Amino acid sequence: AASTSADVSSGRFGFALEATLPGPTEAFAFSGTGAFDTESNRSEFTFDFSSFAKLLGGLLTGLGAPEDGAPDFNDPSAWQIEAIQDGETMYMRFPALDSELPEGKSWVRMDAGAEAQAQGFDLSQFQQFTGDDRSKMLDFLRAASGEVETVGPDELHGVTTTHYRATVDLAEYEKLVPASEREEAGTMVDEMLEQLGSTELPVDVWLDEQGLVRQLEMSFSAAQPGTPESAEASVIFELYDYGADVGIVPPPAADVADASALTG
């Protein structure tokens, strides 16, 4: 299923993460949608970070951080982040930073490689959707171990699917990745073992009749080092409109400023 899904050249996706941390009274979440097109080497994303921004604003206020020059953490529209990747060029729109842009500009353009990292952005995850690394998003399913339970039929985005429940062993995943990535994978597995107490993660997967992954869902609890408290988190990732013309278009040139034009 992972290989079949990764081979499709275009489609759309959505994701949502919700977490409850020790201390704050309410959970924070972020979600987003996007599309990918490998033939044009383009992808696009929209992220909603408003819940996380509200939590961050509250933490900074509690720490007595100065408010002068700080973005408005309570304005949800300021934290709707858009990104379009066109080959080696990335366009980003981040309303919370509009005041840093030249007048009349709403998008920032940057090189998706060294320039983006110099500006503080790691955009490698974006390119996984259009490059050879896109399969990494699904590849960990190859590490499913033990019995796979068939939960039953379900419908997602108008498509008939079958819901399965399985366990992924990240220690096995470490053995499956290329040798050049094994050290990084091993570090991730060690961190998961320390925080979760196990390398095994339960996962729910929905597959359609063609064997394409339509949805993944995981929930887990991570212990906070040195304390008896833990953080609860759930993640949902869905894929749909496989093979569709997703129509990804970069923003108009008149709306775009180079990253070097940022004033702060």
Side-chain angles (χ1 to χ4, degrees):
S3 299
T4 302
S5 303
D7 286 343
V8 177
S9 62
S10 66
R12 304 182 193 278
F13 60 89
F15 64 90
L17 180 147
E18 182 172 324
T20 302
L21 302 176
T25 56
E26 55 184 88
F28 78 87
F30 64 87
S31 60
T33 58
F36 61 91
D37 185 342
T38 60
E39 292 185 5
S40 65
N41 194 16
R42 288 177 174 176
S43 59
E44 66 178 0
F45 301 77
T46 300
F47 299 94
D48 181 356
F49 279 106
S50 57
S51 174
F52 180 75
K54 184 178 180 181
L55 174 64
L56 179 60
L59 290 173
L60 292 176
T61 299
L63 293 172
E67 297 184 6
D68 292 345
D72 186 352
F73 293 104
N74 294 311
D75 178 8
S77 65
W79 298 89
Q80 308 296 315
I81 303 172
E82 299 175 63
I84 296 175
Q85 176 241 329
D86 182 13
E88 292 299 315
T89 302
M90 181 67 68
Y91 301 89
M92 296 191 73
R93 183 175 183 275
F94 191 173
L97 299 181
D98 278 353
S99 61
E100 310 293 337
L101 290 173
E103 186 176 354
K105 307 296 184 181
S106 55
W107 288 80
V108 175
R109 179 186 61 245
M110 66 187 77
D111 177 76
E115 181 180 341
Q117 292 184 11
Q119 290 288 333
F121 297 102
D122 179 5
L123 305 177
S124 60
Q125 300 297 322
F126 291 79
Q127 294 176 299
Q128 287 188 8
F129 285 91
T130 53
D132 293 336
D133 288 341
R134 183 166 59 89
S135 61
K136 291 180 182 177
M137 295 293 296
L138 300 163
D139 222 19
F140 76 95
L141 288 177
R142 295 168 55 208
S145 61
E147 184 177 348
V148 177
E149 175 189 355
T150 302
V151 179
D154 208 345
E155 186 172 302
L156 299 173
H157 290 280
V159 174
T160 299
T161 67
T162 302
H163 178 186
Y164 298 95
R165 185 165 291 140
T167 298
V168 170
D169 188 344
L170 296 178
E172 291 299 315
Y173 172 75
E174 180 183 355
K175 301 174 186 177
L176 295 170
V177 301
S180 60
E181 301 171 14
R182 206 156 291 160
E183 183 178 352
E184 181 181 353
T187 300
M188 178 193 70
V189 171
D190 291 342
E191 291 175 352
M192 295 292 286
L193 181 60
E194 179 182 358
Q195 295 185 11
L196 302 181
S198 171
T199 61
E200 296 185 344
L201 287 176
V203 59
D204 286 77
V205 187
W206 285 257
L207 306 182
D208 66 14
E209 295 175 350
Q210 285 73 48
L212 296 171
V213 176
R214 292 286 175 163
Q215 184 166 289
L216 300 175
E217 185 172 339
M218 292 182 290
S219 298
F220 51 90
S221 176
Q224 301 301 294
T227 76
E229 300 178 312
S230 63
E232 308 291 331
S234 64
V235 181
I236 297 176
F237 182 71
E238 58 179 353
L239 289 154
Y240 55 99
D241 286 352
Y242 279 106
D245 180 2
V246 292
I248 302 170
V249 179
D255 297 340
V256 179
D258 191 79
S260 60
L262 287 169
T263 60

